[in-house]
Amino acid sequence: LGNTNAGLIDNLGGSLQFNGDLTNNAGGIITSRGPLRLMGGLTNDGNLSMGAGTNDVFGNITNNATGAVNVAGGSTTSFHGTMTNSGDVFVGFDSRATFFNAVSGAGSFSGTGVVEFTNGFSPGASPAIVSFGGDVQLTGTANLLIELGGLTAGTEFDQLAVAGDVTIGGVLDVTDLNGFVLSPGMAFDIITFGGSLTGAFSGVTNSTGLSGLLLNVSSDADSVNLLLDGLAGDLNLDGFVGIADLNIVLGSWNQNVSTGIWQLGDPSNDGFVGIADLNAVLGNWNAGTPPTEGQTNIPEPTTLGLSVLCSLVLLRRRNRGDMFNPTHHKATALLHT
């Protein structure tokens, strides 16, 4: 059966258990100084406070926008269920909150205590900046999911804003969001901090669908940065430089495009598709690993499509500053295997 609290539930010691689901209404207060077992989970719109000493909370928690979860008074509290946090989790200066299961949501973590993640942490509500008033520790078993949907923190990509120290471990998992086109040269401050930085990610998982996109992590005095890169000439970011990349250049030849988007044919990052971009592909031809099973390396462009490339050179010399003007010459020939 379901349980609803709109008043005060105070566990002064021992174990407190709810066998059904529990809803803590706005204005409701639950305090516990011992193990709290939420067998059917907790939906919290009020206040849940864990008192002094070592405490364990079992069961899943949905902390809504008006909800507050408090760990204070020198408490060390372990949360064993999942938590979706849209409100606030307060961890006092002499206290620690450890999460042994997945945590998500755009809610804040106030207070100057320590917040430790040993499992998955997915910040934001696709996406958001999640703020921490104290220290953050990502242990070696943690998995931090960062969604990239643009270049602005909070509204377009996830960020952890930590006032104190940061300890990094575990895996960084990166994925795209809302169809945003990721391209080499982009950079994201995924964690900012006001204290010190310790540790490093043990690995980076590429969940963007772009197997050729390289995800590099670096840091400076106040941030952890994600830098995107790729194999030179691999315009479609599939990990191999070949016909598909050459066709991207030829398909956008002599056009102005959005600056620095490799998939539009502009690895030179000048906003124009021309000789510099063609050279980026030809100069690294056949590099990488063919993306499809059974595909073999493609001959050098000196033997494949030589007439097309020679025509490009001749037209470049003939037209100089008006190369491939659409009213005179249009590069429409695409190469195929």
Side-chain angles (χ1 to χ4, degrees), residues 183-332:
S183 192
M186 294 180 179
F188 306 86
D189 294 337
I190 58 174
I191 303 176
T192 63
F193 52 88
S196 62
L197 174 67
T198 305
F201 292 112
S202 60
V204 180
T205 300
N206 183 349
S207 299
T208 67
L210 300 171
S211 58
L213 185 67
L214 303 180
L215 307 173
N216 301 319
V217 178
S218 66
S219 63
D220 52 33
D222 58 4
S223 64
V224 176
N225 312 303
L226 177 65
L227 309 174
L228 307 189
D229 202 355
L231 179 66
D234 180 21
L235 304 193
N236 64 353
L237 297 172
D238 65 353
F240 180 71
V241 182
I243 290 299
D245 307 297
L246 184 56
N247 280 341
I248 290 175
V249 173
L250 298 183
S252 299
W253 190 257
N254 206 36
Q255 295 182 22
N256 294 315
V257 297
S258 298
T259 302
I261 305 297
W262 283 26
Q263 296 93 324
L264 298 179
D266 183 32
S268 63
N269 196 28
D270 62 0
F272 179 77
V273 181
I275 289 296
D277 307 300
L278 178 63
N279 286 340
V281 174
L282 301 184
N284 211 25
W285 192 259
N286 261 342
T289 303
T292 57
E293 183 178 355
Q295 181 176 346
T296 59
N297 284 358
I298 301 169
E300 295 293 331
T302 53
T303 59
L304 177 68
L306 179 60
S307 60
V308 174
L309 299 179
C310 288
S311 297
L312 292 177
V313 175
L314 290 175
L315 287 170
R316 178 173 179 266
R317 291 176 178 174
R318 184 180 304 166
N319 293 284
R320 298 292 182 180
D322 191 29
M323 180 173 56
F324 288 95
N325 186 307
T327 62
H328 296 93
H329 305 280
K330 178 65 176 177
T332 58

Side-chain angles (χ1 to χ4, degrees), residues 77 79 81 83 89 97-101 103 109 115-119:
T77 298
F79 294 87
M83 178 180 287
V89 177
T98 299
F99 295 91
F100 287 100
N101 214 319
V103 179
F109 293 79
V115 177
E116 179 184 28
F117 298 102
T118 70
N119 199 292

Side-chain angles (χ1 to χ4, degrees), residues 52-53 71-76 90-97 111-114:
V71 177
S75 172
T76 298
F90 175 85
V91 184
F93 78 96
D94 55 352
S95 299
R96 170 186 289 265
T112 57
V114 178

